[in-house]
Amino acid sequence: MKKHKLFTPGPTSIPEEVLLEMAKPIMHHRTEEFLKIAKEVFEGLKYLFQTKNDVFILASSGTGAMESSIVNLFSKSEKIIVINGGKFGERFVEIGKAYELNVVDIKVEWGKSLSKEELEKIIEENRDAKGVCVNLCETSTATHFDVKGYGEIISKYPDIVFIVDAISSLGAIPCYMDEWKIDCLLTGSQKAFMLPPGLSFISLSEKAWERVEKSNLPKYYFDLKKYKKSLEKFDFPFTIPVSLIVGLRKSIQIIKEYTLEKIWEEHKKRATATREGILAMGLSLLSSCPSDAVTGVILPEGINGDELIKFIRKTYGISIAGGQDKLKGKIVRISHLGWQDEFDVLTAITAVGVGLEKFGYKLNIEKGIEKAKEILFSH
Amino acid sequence: MKKHKLFTPGPTSIPEEVLLEMAKPIMHHRTEEFLKIAKEVFEGLKYLFQTKNDVFILASSGTGAMESSIVNLFSKSEKIIVINGGKFGERFVEIGKAYELNVVDIKVEWGKSLSKEELEKIIEENRDAKGVCVNLCETSTATHFDVKGYGEIISKYPDIVFIVDAISSLGAIPCYMDEWKIDCLLTGSQKAFMLPPGLSFISLSEKAWERVEKSNLPKYYFDLKKYKKSLEKFDFPFTIPVSLIVGLRKSIQIIKEYTLEKIWEEHKKRATATREGILAMGLSLLSSCPSDAVTGVILPEGINGDELIKFIRKTYGISIAGGQDKLKGKIVRISHLGWQDEFDVLTAITAVGVGLEKFGYKLNIEKGIEKAKEILFSH
C-alpha cells in the first residue's frame, strides 16, 4: 500500500473536503446561487492578498496572470526592469520581449537574491523605466526576494509600478499587498491555495489601474479593463471555471479558519525543519536566501536527480521536484506549500535520505530526522 | 426535492463517473503516470476533432482558444474575414481588432446563416484576405453555419486559412476537421465534452502551421509554436489543469464507447424533438437555420425572459439560458449538449411551457409533449 504524497511546488495536495466539494453537480455561472459563491470568493481573495483592491480570477495557469500584468500595465516599447534570478524571472523577461518592451534584464546568480539597495541603484540607472517585476519566491531556485524592501524603494518613484509574481508563495509566506506597496500582485491556484491548477489571480493598485487606462499593448482574453466592466454588471467576460471556484470557496474557508498568520508560521516551521534536517544529514542547500515555500537541495556529485526522483516516486509514492534548465538533474526541491503538517516533513526528508542511500551515497539520515523533529515539536 | 438539471449551452451536466474521477487525489503533471493519461487524451482528441493533426490543450476558456487562433495564424495588419452572425462572431471581430488586424466584418442578421456562394462572393471581393473565421454553431442565436460548404470554397484559395470556432458544438454535431478542410478548429471543455469549464482545445492543419512560422503578432501564453516544441520533449509550457485532464480521459472513454456517429444522431433527434415540440406548443424558433447543439425559442411579447428563467430555476431546479446582448430578455435557449437523454427533452420543453403558463401566457403544452414524444420514441 502506498500513500501518494506531493512535495512538488505545484500541483500540491488537495484536502478531501475540497475534492468532494468540486465533485458536486456543476452549476451555471450566471445564477444567483453561483454569484453568491463568487462574491464570497472575491472577498476571501482580498484577505489572501491582504488588500483592499479587487482581485480578478483568470482561467489560466500562473503564466497567464504574468502575461496579464505585462499587457495591461505597459505600452509599446516602454522600459521595464526584471529581477531575473531563475526560470520564472526569465519568464517575465520573455513575456516583456514577446510584447517588444525594452526589458532591462537584471540577471541574479541562481540561488542568490538582490538587496533593496542594489535595486535602488538599478532604478537610478534606469530612471525612464516604467515598472519592476520580481518573483516573491523564485520557485526554480527556492529563493526568497525582499518584496517588502523593494516596495519601500519603488514606491518613491511615481512613474514606476511594482509587479510581484507570488505564484508559488502567496498564502504560504507573508505578503501584504497594500502595506508593502505592491502595484500588481498575482498568483495561481495549485500551490498554497490547495486547489488543482486552472485558475490564476491578479490584483492591481490604484496606481496600476491608472496605467491600465493608458496601456496600448494588444490584449483580449487577459484584458483587465474589460473584465472590470463586466464585474460591475456582476458578469464574467468568459466562462469561469465553476467547479474550481466552488473548491476555492472551501479552501478559503479552511484558510480563514486557521488564519493566514498561523499558516505562515507553520510554513516557516516546516521549512526551517526541512533545511536544518537536510543540513544535519550532510547535504547542502541551493539558496543563500531560502524561501519558506520550497527548499532546494544540492545533490552530491554523481547522483542523477531525475533518476533519484523517479525512484522515490515509484518506490515510496512520494513526489518531489527536480531542477529546471541548468539545474536539471543537479538538485531536488521539496515544497512546503499548502496542505501539509509536521509529519510530512519527516516523510519528505526521510524519502530523500533513503533514496540517496539506495543510490549509494552515505549520509546521516537519523541525525537529519532528529534535528527536524526538534524544530517541529519544540514547544 | 429538486433535481438540478442544466440545459444551458455550457456549463453542461457532468456524468457522475467523470466528477468522481476528478475527485481522486491529484497527481503531478511531470510524471510517467500523468503522461500516460495525457497521451491517451491527445489521441482521443484527434478522434473528437476527426483529424490526423495534433490537438493542443489550453488552460483557458474557449475565448482563449479563439485568441490563440488569431495571434498564431496572422501577422500585423493582415486582412481577415469574419462571418459575424451573433455574439461569438462578434468576438472574432473584437479579437482581430484588438490585435490591429484589418477585419472585414460580414454582419449576418442574427438567427440567419450565410450560404457558401455568398461567402465565395465576399472572398472574391477581398482577394487579399488571409483568413476566414466562423462559428460552427453561433451559440447566441442557436444558428448553424455551413462549415462543410465554406471549406470547399476556402480550400481553393492557397493564401486563405479557415478558422472554425466549434466551442458549443464539437462532439454534438458532425464536424470533420480534415475532410472539411478546416485549417484551425477550436473548442471548449464545458459543452459536449461533459466537463467543467477550464480547458480549451485547438488544432491546426499543415497550411495553418506554415502561417504560424511567419506570424509576427505578439503572444506568449497562447504561443502554439512554443507549445509544440515543449510537447516534442513530452512537457507542457505551463502547468496543465491535471484534474480536468483526468476527467477528460473519462469523458473521451464514454464518447468513444458510444461512438461519435451515435452521439451526433442522438443530438439531432433531441434537437428535432425540441424544435417540433416548441412549435407544436405554439411558440416560434429564433433561427431559420437551427443548430442541433442548442435551440433558441422566441418568447411571446410581454414576457420577460430573464424573469422566466429565474422562475423556472427557482421553482423546478431547471437551468435554461436567456438571450445575450440585443436578444436579452427576448428569447430562451435550450441546450442539447452532452450528457442528456430523450426524457430530458420532455423535461426541458415542459419546464418552458409550464413557466410561460405561470407568467399568464396560454399555450398547448400537451401537444408539444406529444409531438416531441413521437419523434423521440418513433423507432
Side-chain angles (χ1 to χ4, degrees), chain A residues 19 28 31 59-61 67 76 94 100 196-197 220-221 240 243 313, chain B residues 8 23 31 59-61 67 76 94 100 196-197 220-221 240 243 313:
Chain A
L19 286 173
H28 193 256
T31 59
S60 79
S61 80
E67 177 161 340
K76 285 171 183 170
E94 289 171 0
E100 297 173 4
Y220 190 85
Y221 187 66
I240 195 98
S243 30
R313 182 155 45 225
Chain B
T8 45
T31 59
S60 78
S61 80
E67 177 160 340
K76 284 171 186 172
E94 289 171 0
E100 297 173 6
Y220 190 84
Y221 187 66
I240 195 98
S243 29
R313 183 156 45 227

PDB file of all heavy atoms in Angstrom, chain A residues 19 28 31 59-61 67 76 94 100 196-197 220-221 240 243 313, chain B residues 8 23 31 59-61 67 76 94 100 196-197 220-221 240 243 313:
ATOM      1  N   LEU A  19     -11.794  18.408  -2.613  1.00  0.00           N
ATOM      2  CA  LEU A  19     -12.036  17.496  -3.744  1.00  0.00           C
ATOM      3  C   LEU A  19     -13.527  17.147  -3.840  1.00  0.00           C
ATOM      4  O   LEU A  19     -14.113  17.153  -4.920  1.00  0.00           O
ATOM      5  CB  LEU A  19     -11.226  16.207  -3.573  1.00  0.00           C
ATOM      6  CG  LEU A  19      -9.715  16.310  -3.816  1.00  0.00           C
ATOM      7  CD1 LEU A  19      -9.028  15.000  -3.434  1.00  0.00           C
ATOM      8  CD2 LEU A  19      -9.427  16.637  -5.279  1.00  0.00           C
ATOM      9  N   HIS A  28     -24.583  26.532 -13.196  1.00  0.00           N
ATOM     10  CA  HIS A  28     -24.321  27.527 -14.224  1.00  0.00           C
ATOM     11  C   HIS A  28     -23.700  28.760 -13.580  1.00  0.00           C
ATOM     12  O   HIS A  28     -23.984  29.065 -12.427  1.00  0.00           O
ATOM     13  CB  HIS A  28     -25.616  27.885 -14.962  1.00  0.00           C
ATOM     14  CG  HIS A  28     -25.384  28.666 -16.215  1.00  0.00           C
ATOM     15  ND1 HIS A  28     -25.606  30.020 -16.295  1.00  0.00           N
ATOM     16  CD2 HIS A  28     -24.916  28.290 -17.425  1.00  0.00           C
ATOM     17  CE1 HIS A  28     -25.298  30.428 -17.519  1.00  0.00           C
ATOM     18  NE2 HIS A  28     -24.882  29.400 -18.230  1.00  0.00           N
ATOM     19  N   THR A  31     -25.969  32.384 -12.329  1.00  0.00           N
ATOM     20  CA  THR A  31     -27.117  32.165 -11.445  1.00  0.00           C
ATOM     21  C   THR A  31     -26.846  32.889 -10.137  1.00  0.00           C
ATOM     22  O   THR A  31     -25.693  33.156  -9.795  1.00  0.00           O
ATOM     23  CB  THR A  31     -27.289  30.665 -11.135  1.00  0.00           C
ATOM     24  OG1 THR A  31     -26.081  30.182 -10.516  1.00  0.00           O
ATOM     25  CG2 THR A  31     -27.559  29.862 -12.396  1.00  0.00           C
ATOM     26  N   ALA A  59      -9.049  32.271 -15.917  1.00  0.00           N
ATOM     27  CA  ALA A  59      -8.986  30.853 -16.256  1.00  0.00           C
ATOM     28  C   ALA A  59      -7.693  30.653 -17.032  1.00  0.00           C
ATOM     29  O   ALA A  59      -7.667  30.753 -18.262  1.00  0.00           O
ATOM     30  CB  ALA A  59     -10.191  30.443 -17.090  1.00  0.00           C
ATOM     31  N   SER A  60      -6.606  30.421 -16.313  1.00  0.00           N
ATOM     32  CA  SER A  60      -5.290  30.227 -16.935  1.00  0.00           C
ATOM     33  C   SER A  60      -4.323  29.713 -15.885  1.00  0.00           C
ATOM     34  O   SER A  60      -4.635  29.717 -14.699  1.00  0.00           O
ATOM     35  CB  SER A  60      -4.752  31.553 -17.500  1.00  0.00           C
ATOM     36  OG  SER A  60      -4.215  32.363 -16.464  1.00  0.00           O
ATOM     37  N   SER A  61      -3.163  29.296 -16.326  1.00  0.00           N
ATOM     38  CA  SER A  61      -2.098  28.986 -15.373  1.00  0.00           C
ATOM     39  C   SER A  61      -1.519  30.305 -14.874  1.00  0.00           C
ATOM     40  O   SER A  61      -1.889  31.383 -15.357  1.00  0.00           O
ATOM     41  CB  SER A  61      -1.014  28.152 -16.051  1.00  0.00           C
ATOM     42  OG  SER A  61      -0.174  28.999 -16.812  1.00  0.00           O
ATOM     43  N   GLU A  67       1.462  37.272 -17.902  1.00  0.00           N
ATOM     44  CA  GLU A  67       1.255  37.974 -19.168  1.00  0.00           C
ATOM     45  C   GLU A  67       0.234  39.100 -18.994  1.00  0.00           C
ATOM     46  O   GLU A  67       0.399  40.197 -19.528  1.00  0.00           O
ATOM     47  CB  GLU A  67       0.783  36.983 -20.238  1.00  0.00           C
ATOM     48  CG  GLU A  67       0.482  37.649 -21.566  1.00  0.00           C
ATOM     49  CD  GLU A  67       0.462  36.657 -22.735  1.00  0.00           C
ATOM     50  OE1 GLU A  67       1.036  35.565 -22.607  1.00  0.00           O
ATOM     51  OE2 GLU A  67      -0.134  36.987 -23.766  1.00  0.00           O
ATOM     52  N   LYS A  76       3.510  50.214 -25.689  1.00  0.00           N
ATOM     53  CA  LYS A  76       4.520  49.802 -26.657  1.00  0.00           C
ATOM     54  C   LYS A  76       5.890  50.410 -26.389  1.00  0.00           C
ATOM     55  O   LYS A  76       5.995  51.604 -26.156  1.00  0.00           O
ATOM     56  CB  LYS A  76       4.043  50.134 -28.071  1.00  0.00           C
ATOM     57  CG  LYS A  76       2.964  49.156 -28.524  1.00  0.00           C
ATOM     58  CD  LYS A  76       2.300  49.549 -29.828  1.00  0.00           C
ATOM     59  CE  LYS A  76       1.190  48.536 -30.139  1.00  0.00           C
ATOM     60  NZ  LYS A  76       0.339  48.933 -31.252  1.00  0.00           N
ATOM     61  N   GLU A  94      10.970  37.042 -20.935  1.00  0.00           N
ATOM     62  CA  GLU A  94      10.452  36.520 -22.207  1.00  0.00           C
ATOM     63  C   GLU A  94       9.130  37.180 -22.594  1.00  0.00           C
ATOM     64  O   GLU A  94       8.911  37.523 -23.759  1.00  0.00           O
ATOM     65  CB  GLU A  94      10.252  35.004 -22.112  1.00  0.00           C
ATOM     66  CG  GLU A  94      11.553  34.213 -22.068  1.00  0.00           C
ATOM     67  CD  GLU A  94      11.333  32.730 -21.759  1.00  0.00           C
ATOM     68  OE1 GLU A  94      10.167  32.316 -21.577  1.00  0.00           O
ATOM     69  OE2 GLU A  94      12.325  31.988 -21.684  1.00  0.00           O
ATOM     70  N   GLU A 100       7.591  43.187 -27.200  1.00  0.00           N
ATOM     71  CA  GLU A 100       8.511  44.197 -27.710  1.00  0.00           C
ATOM     72  C   GLU A 100       8.735  45.354 -26.744  1.00  0.00           C
ATOM     73  O   GLU A 100       8.889  46.516 -27.157  1.00  0.00           O
ATOM     74  CB  GLU A 100       8.034  44.702 -29.085  1.00  0.00           C
ATOM     75  CG  GLU A 100       8.048  43.574 -30.120  1.00  0.00           C
ATOM     76  CD  GLU A 100       7.423  43.956 -31.463  1.00  0.00           C
ATOM     77  OE1 GLU A 100       7.045  45.125 -31.641  1.00  0.00           O
ATOM     78  OE2 GLU A 100       7.323  43.069 -32.329  1.00  0.00           O
ATOM     79  N   PRO A 196      -6.602  22.332  -7.558  1.00  0.00           N
ATOM     80  CA  PRO A 196      -5.968  21.895  -8.804  1.00  0.00           C
ATOM     81  C   PRO A 196      -5.512  23.102  -9.623  1.00  0.00           C
ATOM     82  O   PRO A 196      -6.000  24.222  -9.424  1.00  0.00           O
ATOM     83  CB  PRO A 196      -7.095  21.169  -9.553  1.00  0.00           C
ATOM     84  CG  PRO A 196      -8.146  20.888  -8.547  1.00  0.00           C
ATOM     85  CD  PRO A 196      -8.029  21.973  -7.518  1.00  0.00           C
ATOM     86  N   PRO A 197      -4.595  22.908 -10.572  1.00  0.00           N
ATOM     87  CA  PRO A 197      -4.241  24.008 -11.473  1.00  0.00           C
ATOM     88  C   PRO A 197      -5.419  24.374 -12.371  1.00  0.00           C
ATOM     89  O   PRO A 197      -6.288  23.539 -12.618  1.00  0.00           O
ATOM     90  CB  PRO A 197      -3.091  23.446 -12.302  1.00  0.00           C
ATOM     91  CG  PRO A 197      -3.059  21.981 -12.063  1.00  0.00           C
ATOM     92  CD  PRO A 197      -3.835  21.684 -10.835  1.00  0.00           C
ATOM     93  N   TYR A 220      -6.769  40.728 -25.338  1.00  0.00           N
ATOM     94  CA  TYR A 220      -8.207  40.470 -25.342  1.00  0.00           C
ATOM     95  C   TYR A 220      -8.580  39.589 -24.155  1.00  0.00           C
ATOM     96  O   TYR A 220      -9.200  40.050 -23.216  1.00  0.00           O
ATOM     97  CB  TYR A 220      -8.656  39.852 -26.675  1.00  0.00           C
ATOM     98  CG  TYR A 220     -10.161  39.805 -26.790  1.00  0.00           C
ATOM     99  CD1 TYR A 220     -10.869  40.907 -27.247  1.00  0.00           C
ATOM    100  CD2 TYR A 220     -10.885  38.681 -26.397  1.00  0.00           C
ATOM    101  CE1 TYR A 220     -12.253  40.888 -27.318  1.00  0.00           C
ATOM    102  CE2 TYR A 220     -12.267  38.658 -26.460  1.00  0.00           C
ATOM    103  CZ  TYR A 220     -12.945  39.756 -26.927  1.00  0.00           C
ATOM    104  OH  TYR A 220     -14.313  39.739 -26.982  1.00  0.00           O
ATOM    105  N   TYR A 221      -8.131  38.330 -24.203  1.00  0.00           N
ATOM    106  CA  TYR A 221      -8.502  37.403 -23.123  1.00  0.00           C
ATOM    107  C   TYR A 221      -8.014  37.911 -21.772  1.00  0.00           C
ATOM    108  O   TYR A 221      -8.685  37.725 -20.759  1.00  0.00           O
ATOM    109  CB  TYR A 221      -7.904  36.026 -23.427  1.00  0.00           C
ATOM    110  CG  TYR A 221      -8.335  34.943 -22.484  1.00  0.00           C
ATOM    111  CD1 TYR A 221      -9.660  34.520 -22.443  1.00  0.00           C
ATOM    112  CD2 TYR A 221      -7.426  34.321 -21.624  1.00  0.00           C
ATOM    113  CE1 TYR A 221     -10.062  33.509 -21.581  1.00  0.00           C
ATOM    114  CE2 TYR A 221      -7.825  33.310 -20.766  1.00  0.00           C
ATOM    115  CZ  TYR A 221      -9.137  32.913 -20.748  1.00  0.00           C
ATOM    116  OH  TYR A 221      -9.532  31.913 -19.889  1.00  0.00           O
ATOM    117  N   ILE A 240     -16.258  31.172 -16.501  1.00  0.00           N
ATOM    118  CA  ILE A 240     -15.334  30.971 -15.392  1.00  0.00           C
ATOM    119  C   ILE A 240     -15.343  29.478 -14.993  1.00  0.00           C
ATOM    120  O   ILE A 240     -16.385  28.843 -15.091  1.00  0.00           O
ATOM    121  CB  ILE A 240     -15.763  31.914 -14.231  1.00  0.00           C
ATOM    122  CG1 ILE A 240     -14.697  32.056 -13.174  1.00  0.00           C
ATOM    123  CG2 ILE A 240     -17.080  31.483 -13.602  1.00  0.00           C
ATOM    124  CD1 ILE A 240     -13.872  33.283 -13.330  1.00  0.00           C
ATOM    125  N   SER A 243     -16.308  24.807 -11.199  1.00  0.00           N
ATOM    126  CA  SER A 243     -16.007  23.839 -10.132  1.00  0.00           C
ATOM    127  C   SER A 243     -14.767  24.238  -9.345  1.00  0.00           C
ATOM    128  O   SER A 243     -14.713  24.023  -8.134  1.00  0.00           O
ATOM    129  CB  SER A 243     -15.885  22.412 -10.670  1.00  0.00           C
ATOM    130  OG  SER A 243     -15.424  22.397 -11.982  1.00  0.00           O
ATOM    131  N   ARG A 313       9.550   8.211  -6.290  1.00  0.00           N
ATOM    132  CA  ARG A 313       8.122   8.171  -6.608  1.00  0.00           C
ATOM    133  C   ARG A 313       7.640   6.738  -6.797  1.00  0.00           C
ATOM    134  O   ARG A 313       6.617   6.343  -6.258  1.00  0.00           O
ATOM    135  CB  ARG A 313       7.822   9.011  -7.850  1.00  0.00           C
ATOM    136  CG  ARG A 313       6.341   9.036  -8.188  1.00  0.00           C
ATOM    137  CD  ARG A 313       5.930  10.260  -8.984  1.00  0.00           C
ATOM    138  NE  ARG A 313       6.869  10.517 -10.056  1.00  0.00           N
ATOM    139  CZ  ARG A 313       7.362  11.710 -10.367  1.00  0.00           C
ATOM    140  NH1 ARG A 313       6.994  12.777  -9.684  1.00  0.00           N
ATOM    141  NH2 ARG A 313       8.203  11.860 -11.358  1.00  0.00           N
TER     142      ARG A 313
ATOM    143  N   THR B   8     -28.277  24.669 -20.190  1.00  0.00           N
ATOM    144  CA  THR B   8     -27.560  25.851 -20.659  1.00  0.00           C
ATOM    145  C   THR B   8     -26.476  25.389 -21.632  1.00  0.00           C
ATOM    146  O   THR B   8     -25.915  24.300 -21.469  1.00  0.00           O
ATOM    147  CB  THR B   8     -26.909  26.558 -19.458  1.00  0.00           C
ATOM    148  OG1 THR B   8     -26.277  25.568 -18.627  1.00  0.00           O
ATOM    149  CG2 THR B   8     -27.958  27.271 -18.630  1.00  0.00           C
ATOM    150  N   ALA B  23     -12.291  13.767  -8.597  1.00  0.00           N
ATOM    151  CA  ALA B  23     -12.204  13.925  -7.140  1.00  0.00           C
ATOM    152  C   ALA B  23     -11.119  13.046  -6.531  1.00  0.00           C
ATOM    153  O   ALA B  23     -10.884  13.077  -5.326  1.00  0.00           O
ATOM    154  CB  ALA B  23     -13.554  13.611  -6.502  1.00  0.00           C
ATOM    155  N   THR B  31       4.926  13.415 -14.470  1.00  0.00           N
ATOM    156  CA  THR B  31       5.178  12.041 -14.044  1.00  0.00           C
ATOM    157  C   THR B  31       4.795  11.116 -15.189  1.00  0.00           C
ATOM    158  O   THR B  31       3.995  11.481 -16.047  1.00  0.00           O
ATOM    159  CB  THR B  31       4.314  11.667 -12.816  1.00  0.00           C
ATOM    160  OG1 THR B  31       2.932  11.832 -13.169  1.00  0.00           O
ATOM    161  CG2 THR B  31       4.622  12.548 -11.624  1.00  0.00           C
ATOM    162  N   ALA B  59      -5.099  25.911 -20.981  1.00  0.00           N
ATOM    163  CA  ALA B  59      -5.783  26.215 -19.731  1.00  0.00           C
ATOM    164  C   ALA B  59      -6.419  27.584 -19.908  1.00  0.00           C
ATOM    165  O   ALA B  59      -5.815  28.617 -19.613  1.00  0.00           O
ATOM    166  CB  ALA B  59      -4.792  26.223 -18.573  1.00  0.00           C
ATOM    167  N   SER B  60      -7.631  27.594 -20.454  1.00  0.00           N
ATOM    168  CA  SER B  60      -8.350  28.853 -20.685  1.00  0.00           C
ATOM    169  C   SER B  60      -9.786  28.526 -21.049  1.00  0.00           C
ATOM    170  O   SER B  60     -10.120  27.371 -21.296  1.00  0.00           O
ATOM    171  CB  SER B  60      -7.719  29.649 -21.841  1.00  0.00           C
ATOM    172  OG  SER B  60      -8.111  29.116 -23.096  1.00  0.00           O
ATOM    173  N   SER B  61     -10.620  29.544 -21.091  1.00  0.00           N
ATOM    174  CA  SER B  61     -11.963  29.352 -21.644  1.00  0.00           C
ATOM    175  C   SER B  61     -11.835  29.277 -23.160  1.00  0.00           C
ATOM    176  O   SER B  61     -10.751  29.471 -23.724  1.00  0.00           O
ATOM    177  CB  SER B  61     -12.859  30.510 -21.229  1.00  0.00           C
ATOM    178  OG  SER B  61     -12.618  31.619 -22.068  1.00  0.00           O
ATOM    179  N   GLU B  67      -8.569  33.543 -29.296  1.00  0.00           N
ATOM    180  CA  GLU B  67      -7.446  34.479 -29.370  1.00  0.00           C
ATOM    181  C   GLU B  67      -6.200  33.772 -29.883  1.00  0.00           C
ATOM    182  O   GLU B  67      -5.451  34.317 -30.711  1.00  0.00           O
ATOM    183  CB  GLU B  67      -7.180  35.082 -27.985  1.00  0.00           C
ATOM    184  CG  GLU B  67      -5.979  36.015 -27.959  1.00  0.00           C
ATOM    185  CD  GLU B  67      -5.988  36.962 -26.773  1.00  0.00           C
ATOM    186  OE1 GLU B  67      -7.058  37.179 -26.172  1.00  0.00           O
ATOM    187  OE2 GLU B  67      -4.915  37.488 -26.439  1.00  0.00           O
ATOM    188  N   LYS B  76       0.901  41.262 -38.410  1.00  0.00           N
ATOM    189  CA  LYS B  76       0.432  42.631 -38.230  1.00  0.00           C
ATOM    190  C   LYS B  76      -0.300  43.185 -39.456  1.00  0.00           C
ATOM    191  O   LYS B  76       0.195  43.077 -40.561  1.00  0.00           O
ATOM    192  CB  LYS B  76       1.597  43.531 -37.833  1.00  0.00           C
ATOM    193  CG  LYS B  76       1.970  43.312 -36.369  1.00  0.00           C
ATOM    194  CD  LYS B  76       3.266  44.024 -35.963  1.00  0.00           C
ATOM    195  CE  LYS B  76       3.619  43.615 -34.522  1.00  0.00           C
ATOM    196  NZ  LYS B  76       4.926  44.098 -34.096  1.00  0.00           N
ATOM    197  N   GLU B  94     -13.814  41.404 -32.488  1.00  0.00           N
ATOM    198  CA  GLU B  94     -13.169  42.151 -31.404  1.00  0.00           C
ATOM    199  C   GLU B  94     -11.711  41.731 -31.215  1.00  0.00           C
ATOM    200  O   GLU B  94     -10.833  42.572 -31.014  1.00  0.00           O
ATOM    201  CB  GLU B  94     -13.935  41.944 -30.090  1.00  0.00           C
ATOM    202  CG  GLU B  94     -15.295  42.640 -30.057  1.00  0.00           C
ATOM    203  CD  GLU B  94     -16.126  42.249 -28.836  1.00  0.00           C
ATOM    204  OE1 GLU B  94     -15.642  41.444 -28.012  1.00  0.00           O
ATOM    205  OE2 GLU B  94     -17.264  42.730 -28.719  1.00  0.00           O
ATOM    206  N   GLU B 100      -5.159  44.737 -33.981  1.00  0.00           N
ATOM    207  CA  GLU B 100      -4.983  45.692 -35.079  1.00  0.00           C
ATOM    208  C   GLU B 100      -4.923  45.027 -36.453  1.00  0.00           C
ATOM    209  O   GLU B 100      -4.197  45.472 -37.348  1.00  0.00           O
ATOM    210  CB  GLU B 100      -3.734  46.565 -34.827  1.00  0.00           C
ATOM    211  CG  GLU B 100      -3.901  47.410 -33.561  1.00  0.00           C
ATOM    212  CD  GLU B 100      -2.641  48.173 -33.153  1.00  0.00           C
ATOM    213  OE1 GLU B 100      -1.651  48.140 -33.909  1.00  0.00           O
ATOM    214  OE2 GLU B 100      -2.657  48.809 -32.085  1.00  0.00           O
ATOM    215  N   PRO B 196     -16.223  20.296 -16.635  1.00  0.00           N
ATOM    216  CA  PRO B 196     -16.329  21.673 -16.154  1.00  0.00           C
ATOM    217  C   PRO B 196     -15.586  22.622 -17.098  1.00  0.00           C
ATOM    218  O   PRO B 196     -14.710  22.192 -17.857  1.00  0.00           O
ATOM    219  CB  PRO B 196     -15.616  21.638 -14.799  1.00  0.00           C
ATOM    220  CG  PRO B 196     -15.524  20.212 -14.412  1.00  0.00           C
ATOM    221  CD  PRO B 196     -15.475  19.445 -15.697  1.00  0.00           C
ATOM    222  N   PRO B 197     -15.893  23.905 -17.068  1.00  0.00           N
ATOM    223  CA  PRO B 197     -15.110  24.859 -17.837  1.00  0.00           C
ATOM    224  C   PRO B 197     -13.674  24.939 -17.297  1.00  0.00           C
ATOM    225  O   PRO B 197     -13.446  24.656 -16.128  1.00  0.00           O
ATOM    226  CB  PRO B 197     -15.837  26.194 -17.617  1.00  0.00           C
ATOM    227  CG  PRO B 197     -16.785  26.002 -16.501  1.00  0.00           C
ATOM    228  CD  PRO B 197     -16.984  24.547 -16.300  1.00  0.00           C
ATOM    229  N   TYR B 220       2.459  35.085 -25.951  1.00  0.00           N
ATOM    230  CA  TYR B 220       3.312  34.279 -25.076  1.00  0.00           C
ATOM    231  C   TYR B 220       2.519  33.074 -24.560  1.00  0.00           C
ATOM    232  O   TYR B 220       2.772  31.958 -24.945  1.00  0.00           O
ATOM    233  CB  TYR B 220       3.870  35.110 -23.915  1.00  0.00           C
ATOM    234  CG  TYR B 220       4.930  34.365 -23.153  1.00  0.00           C
ATOM    235  CD1 TYR B 220       6.254  34.356 -23.587  1.00  0.00           C
ATOM    236  CD2 TYR B 220       4.606  33.618 -22.021  1.00  0.00           C
ATOM    237  CE1 TYR B 220       7.227  33.626 -22.928  1.00  0.00           C
ATOM    238  CE2 TYR B 220       5.576  32.875 -21.349  1.00  0.00           C
ATOM    239  CZ  TYR B 220       6.882  32.892 -21.804  1.00  0.00           C
ATOM    240  OH  TYR B 220       7.842  32.163 -21.151  1.00  0.00           O
ATOM    241  N   TYR B 221       1.529  33.337 -23.715  1.00  0.00           N
ATOM    242  CA  TYR B 221       0.748  32.236 -23.131  1.00  0.00           C
ATOM    243  C   TYR B 221       0.079  31.394 -24.207  1.00  0.00           C
ATOM    244  O   TYR B 221      -0.029  30.179 -24.078  1.00  0.00           O
ATOM    245  CB  TYR B 221      -0.302  32.820 -22.178  1.00  0.00           C
ATOM    246  CG  TYR B 221      -1.061  31.778 -21.389  1.00  0.00           C
ATOM    247  CD1 TYR B 221      -0.419  30.991 -20.439  1.00  0.00           C
ATOM    248  CD2 TYR B 221      -2.424  31.572 -21.595  1.00  0.00           C
ATOM    249  CE1 TYR B 221      -1.107  30.038 -19.711  1.00  0.00           C
ATOM    250  CE2 TYR B 221      -3.119  30.623 -20.872  1.00  0.00           C
ATOM    251  CZ  TYR B 221      -2.457  29.858 -19.928  1.00  0.00           C
ATOM    252  OH  TYR B 221      -3.150  28.907 -19.206  1.00  0.00           O
ATOM    253  N   ILE B 240      -0.504  22.322 -16.576  1.00  0.00           N
ATOM    254  CA  ILE B 240      -1.759  21.920 -17.194  1.00  0.00           C
ATOM    255  C   ILE B 240      -2.774  21.573 -16.084  1.00  0.00           C
ATOM    256  O   ILE B 240      -2.375  21.066 -15.046  1.00  0.00           O
ATOM    257  CB  ILE B 240      -1.468  20.721 -18.143  1.00  0.00           C
ATOM    258  CG1 ILE B 240      -2.617  20.462 -19.087  1.00  0.00           C
ATOM    259  CG2 ILE B 240      -1.071  19.473 -17.395  1.00  0.00           C
ATOM    260  CD1 ILE B 240      -2.409  21.068 -20.444  1.00  0.00           C
ATOM    261  N   SER B 243      -6.504  17.856 -13.024  1.00  0.00           N
ATOM    262  CA  SER B 243      -7.739  17.133 -12.708  1.00  0.00           C
ATOM    263  C   SER B 243      -8.726  17.184 -13.869  1.00  0.00           C
ATOM    264  O   SER B 243      -9.449  16.216 -14.108  1.00  0.00           O
ATOM    265  CB  SER B 243      -8.377  17.628 -11.410  1.00  0.00           C
ATOM    266  OG  SER B 243      -8.092  18.959 -11.162  1.00  0.00           O
ATOM    267  N   ARG B 313     -35.806  28.195 -12.778  1.00  0.00           N
ATOM    268  CA  ARG B 313     -34.701  27.651 -11.992  1.00  0.00           C
ATOM    269  C   ARG B 313     -35.092  27.521 -10.527  1.00  0.00           C
ATOM    270  O   ARG B 313     -34.837  26.510  -9.884  1.00  0.00           O
ATOM    271  CB  ARG B 313     -33.454  28.528 -12.145  1.00  0.00           C
ATOM    272  CG  ARG B 313     -32.264  27.952 -11.399  1.00  0.00           C
ATOM    273  CD  ARG B 313     -30.934  28.411 -11.963  1.00  0.00           C
ATOM    274  NE  ARG B 313     -30.938  29.836 -12.220  1.00  0.00           N
ATOM    275  CZ  ARG B 313     -30.494  30.397 -13.342  1.00  0.00           C
ATOM    276  NH1 ARG B 313     -29.993  29.653 -14.302  1.00  0.00           N
ATOM    277  NH2 ARG B 313     -30.537  31.696 -13.503  1.00  0.00           N
TER     278      ARG B 313
END
